[in-house]
C-alpha cells in the first residue's frame, strides 16, 4: 500500500514538474550532441554494445509513468510536428532519462534529421532502460538495416556486416523480431561475408 502511495506521489510530482518545466530543446541536445562531420557514426565502434536480457524483466514503472506524454508525442510526430514531439519527450527525458517510449520518439526524430548515430544511441538507451519495451528492438533493427544499406552504398562492406550482425544480436532471446527480418539479416550477413571474402 505504501509503495502504491509513494508511486502516486512521485507521479504527481513529476507531472507537475513537466507542466512547469522551462527546459528547452537545447538542453536535450546535450544528451545527443549534433555533429555535422560524422552524423553516420562508426558502426564498427558500436559493436561492443549488447542488449540487456529480457529474462526476468519486470513491468517497468518508469515506462508506464509518462505514457500520456508519449502518446501525445507520437500523435504530434504522426502529424509532422517533430519539434513539438521532441519538446514533449525531451521534458520527460530531462527528468527521467530511462523512459524507453520517449527515447524511441527521440530516436525517430533524430533519424529523420539525419543524425543516424544519435538515433541508434537513443534506441539502444531505450532497450537498456526497459528491455520489456519491445518497440525499441524493432526500431533499432530498422535503423541498423538502414545503416547497412548506407554502408553498402558507400562500399563499406565491413560496416554492413556489423549492422546485420547487430540485428541478429537483438533477437538473441528469440521471438522479439519478426522471423522474416531475422531471415533477411542472416541472408544479408552471408552476402556481406562473401563480399569480404572475395576482396
Amino acid at each position: 500500500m505504501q509503495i502504491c502511495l509513494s508511486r502516486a506521489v512521485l507521479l504527481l510530482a513529476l507531472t507537475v514538474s513537466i507542466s512547469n518545466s522551462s527546459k528547452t530543446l537545447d538542453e536535450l541536445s546535450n544528451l545527443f550532441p549534433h555533429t555535422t562531420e560524422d552524423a553516420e557514426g562508426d558502426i564498427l565502434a558500436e559493436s561492443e554494445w549488447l542488449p540487456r536480457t529480457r529474462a526476468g524483466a519486470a513491468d517497468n514503472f518508469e515506462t508506464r509513468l509518462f505514457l500520456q506524454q508519449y502518446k501525445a508525442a507520437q500523435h504530434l510526430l504522426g502529424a509532422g510536428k517533430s519539434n513539438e514531439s521532441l519538446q514533449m519527450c525531451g521534458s520527460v527525458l530531462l527528468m527521467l532519462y530511462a523512459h524507453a517510449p520517449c527515447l524511441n520518439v527521440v530516436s525517430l526524430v533524430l533519424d529523420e534529421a539525419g543524425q543516424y548515430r544519435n538515433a541508434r544511441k537513443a534506441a539502444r538507451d531505450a532497450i537498456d532502460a526497459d528491455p520489456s519495451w519491445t518497440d525499441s528492438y524493432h526500431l533499432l533493427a530498422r535503423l541498423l538495416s538502414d545503416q547497412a544499406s548506407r554502408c553498402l552504398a558507400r562500399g563499406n562492406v565491413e560496416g554492413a556486416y556489423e549492422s546485420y550482425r547487430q540485428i541478429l544480436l537483438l533477437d538473441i532471446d528469440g521471438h522479439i523480431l519478426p522471423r522474416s527480418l531475422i531471415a533477411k539479416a542472416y541472408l544479408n550477413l552471408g552476402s556481406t561475408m562473401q563480399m569480404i571474402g572475395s576482396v
Side-chain angles (χ1 to χ4, degrees):
M1 178 73 174
Q2 285 181 336
I3 292 173
C4 290
L5 182 60
S6 64
R7 284 184 173 181
V9 170
L10 176 64
L11 173 62
L12 181 62
L14 289 174
T15 304
V16 168
S17 296
I18 283 179
S19 61
N20 294 334
S21 177
S22 63
K23 305 290 184 189
T24 64
L25 293 178
D26 294 335
E27 291 169 321
L28 183 61
S29 70
N30 291 333
L31 297 173
F32 301 98
H34 176 75
T35 58
T36 54
E37 65 275 354
D38 191 22
E40 288 280 338
D42 181 9
I43 192 70
L44 297 177
E46 299 171 21
S47 65
E48 293 184 19
W49 179 85
L50 291 174
R52 280 180 46 195
T53 181
R54 292 181 62 228
D59 181 27
N60 193 324
F61 174 70
E62 287 83 12
T63 297
R64 290 183 291 120
L65 191 60
F66 294 108
L67 280 181
Q68 282 184 315
Q69 287 81 0
Y70 163 68
K71 288 178 182 178
Q74 239 184 349
H75 178 72
L76 289 167
L77 190 60
K81 299 179 179 179
S82 297
N83 280 343
E84 291 88 343
S85 178
L86 195 59
Q87 184 83 34
M88 177 78 68
C89 284
S91 62
V92 172
L93 293 175
L94 289 171
M95 288 184 296
L96 180 68
Y97 186 74
H99 193 264
C102 281
L103 283 166
N104 273 13
V105 170
V106 169
S107 179
L108 288 168
V109 172
L110 290 170
D111 186 54
E112 282 180 13
Q115 287 294 304
Y116 306 117
R117 179 175 45 103
N118 284 333
R120 292 189 306 272
K121 179 189 181 313
R124 285 186 179 101
D125 289 351
I127 291 170
D128 288 341
D130 185 0
S132 67
W133 187 260
T134 58
D135 291 0
S136 303
Y137 291 85
H138 294 265
L139 174 60
L140 184 55
R142 183 182 63 79
L143 295 173
L144 288 168
S145 181
D146 293 348
Q147 179 67 22
S149 297
R150 286 190 299 274
C151 285
L152 287 173
R154 290 190 320 268
N156 181 358
V157 180
E158 291 85 5
Y161 170 85
E162 182 57 34
S163 298
Y164 294 128
R165 188 187 74 82
Q166 288 181 28
I167 291 170
L168 295 174
L169 286 175
L170 285 175
D171 202 53
I172 206 150
D173 284 343
H175 310 297
I176 298 172
L177 299 174
R179 296 294 108 205
S180 59
L181 179 66
I182 296 300
K184 185 177 177 183
Y186 272 117
L187 178 67
N188 291 332
L189 186 72
S191 297
T192 56
M193 288 174 70
Q194 282 183 329
M195 287 183 218
I196 291 170
S198 66
V199 173

